[in-house]
Amino acid sequence: MNRTLSTTILTALLIFLIGPFLIIVAASLSAGDTLAFPPQGLSLRWILKVFTVESFRDSFIMSMILAVGGTFVALLLGVPAAYALSRYKLPFGEVVNTIVTLPIIVPGIIVGLALLRYLVVPFSFSIGLALFLAHTALVLPYTVRVVSSSFNNLRSDMEEAAVLLGATRLGAFFKVVLPNIHSGILAAFILGFVTSFNQVPVSLFLSGPGVRTLPIDMLSYMETTYDPSVAALSALLALMSIGIVFLAERFLGFSRYV
């Protein structure tokens, strides 16, 4: 009886989690002219149309630049910060850790409004630069958190042994520490990329004429058009996220280290 109940609960949970995605996929394959479920026949025309919409292509490139570039810069800043916070007892370590974590705690709409009011307007930053800085700031907490966990799980005496055997502190970091936490860095990159690419509240405040991310462009498209194109694009983006995780597991051995 308990096993039957557990199976029923698990099935219901899977339906609850996967159900919306399946509905979107079904709607994207509709042959009708309006977004509807159940689909009015089956067709691939709306999936093919996604690749012909110029605004989708431009905003996709912008989102990719922000996600990849912002996550890369966040890793450059977050890995040293995580190392210092996990290896040394800094005088204001807890304060720094709290400040770094704030973008996760504070709602995105407040972060976007604050960045617009106190960063973009006073310093007259361009829209592209403001978006890049905002996405980097949003990804940084995830980088510090995930990489810090990897540092905490790595025995510090491995690094000390390398130093005792003649390696410099910097050399021990690159030759001993980094190879042993590469799974954490990979996890931080994937999490940061997905977070940045799908970011809506902050991008909504900082987007402008000619510079928009893909989620914001999708919202604007739905204001004037109610065809299944957005559902098709949403399904493709979800499949892209699944593909990124699958490739990381398949070729980089992600599942063996986490």
Side-chain angles (χ1 to χ4, degrees):
M1 184 65 181
N2 291 335
R3 184 174 181 179
T4 303
L5 180 60
S6 300
T7 303
T8 303
I9 294 175
L10 179 60
T11 303
L13 182 61
L14 289 175
I15 294 175
F16 177 77
L17 294 175
I18 304 177
F21 173 69
L22 296 179
I23 292 174
I24 291 174
V25 172
S28 68
L29 297 175
S30 175
D33 294 329
T34 58
L35 184 63
F37 183 84
Q40 304 167 0
L42 296 177
S43 174
L44 294 175
R45 67 171 178 146
W46 298 113
I47 294 179
L48 297 177
K49 182 185 177 181
V50 167
F51 300 96
T52 65
V53 180
E54 184 178 0
S55 64
F56 285 165
R57 296 198 301 267
D58 295 340
S59 58
F60 175 79
I61 294 173
M62 174 58 65
S63 291
M64 287 294 293
I65 292 174
L66 292 173
V68 175
T71 304
F72 181 75
V73 174
L75 284 172
L76 290 179
L77 299 174
V79 172
Y83 179 80
L85 291 172
S86 61
R87 285 289 187 266
Y88 303 106
K89 293 183 178 180
L90 302 177
F92 302 101
E94 291 299 327
V95 176
V96 173
N97 195 29
T98 302
I99 293 175
V100 170
T101 311
L102 282 179
I104 299 178
I105 302 174
V106 179
I109 192 170
I110 296 178
V111 175
L113 180 60
L115 289 173
L116 177 65
R117 173 64 180 84
Y118 297 104
L119 183 65
V120 178
V121 175
F123 298 100
S124 300
F125 283 175
S126 64
I127 296 174
L129 179 58
L131 274 173
F132 185 82
L133 293 176
H135 280 243
T136 302
L138 288 171
V139 172
L140 184 59
Y142 298 98
T143 301
V144 174
R145 285 294 187 181
V146 174
V147 178
S148 293
S149 299
S150 297
F151 279 127
N152 292 330
N153 292 328
L154 180 66
R155 293 172 55 182
S156 59
D157 55 2
M158 294 177 61
E159 182 181 0
E160 297 301 327
V163 173
L164 291 175
L165 290 173
T168 62
R169 182 66 63 176
L170 187 62
F173 178 80
F174 282 103
K175 294 180 180 180
V176 176
V177 177
L178 282 185
N180 282 281
I181 66 163
H182 75 276
S183 60
I185 295 176
L186 174 63
F189 182 86
I190 293 175
L191 182 59
F193 175 86
V194 174
T195 300
S196 174
F197 194 92
N198 296 315
Q199 179 57 230
V200 173
V202 173
S203 300
L204 187 63
F205 277 97
L206 300 179
S207 296
V211 181
R212 290 190 297 187
T213 61
L214 186 56
I216 303 304
D217 196 36
M218 292 169 66
L219 288 175
S220 301
Y221 185 86
M222 290 186 65
E223 292 178 356
T224 57
T225 309
Y226 199 66
D227 60 33
S229 297
V230 172
L233 182 54
S234 300
L236 291 175
L237 292 177
L239 292 175
M240 183 187 74
S241 300
I242 295 172
I244 290 173
V245 176
F246 175 79
L247 291 176
E249 179 180 354
R250 176 66 178 84
F251 295 105
L252 300 178
F254 183 70
S255 62
R256 295 196 298 268
Y257 299 98
V258 297

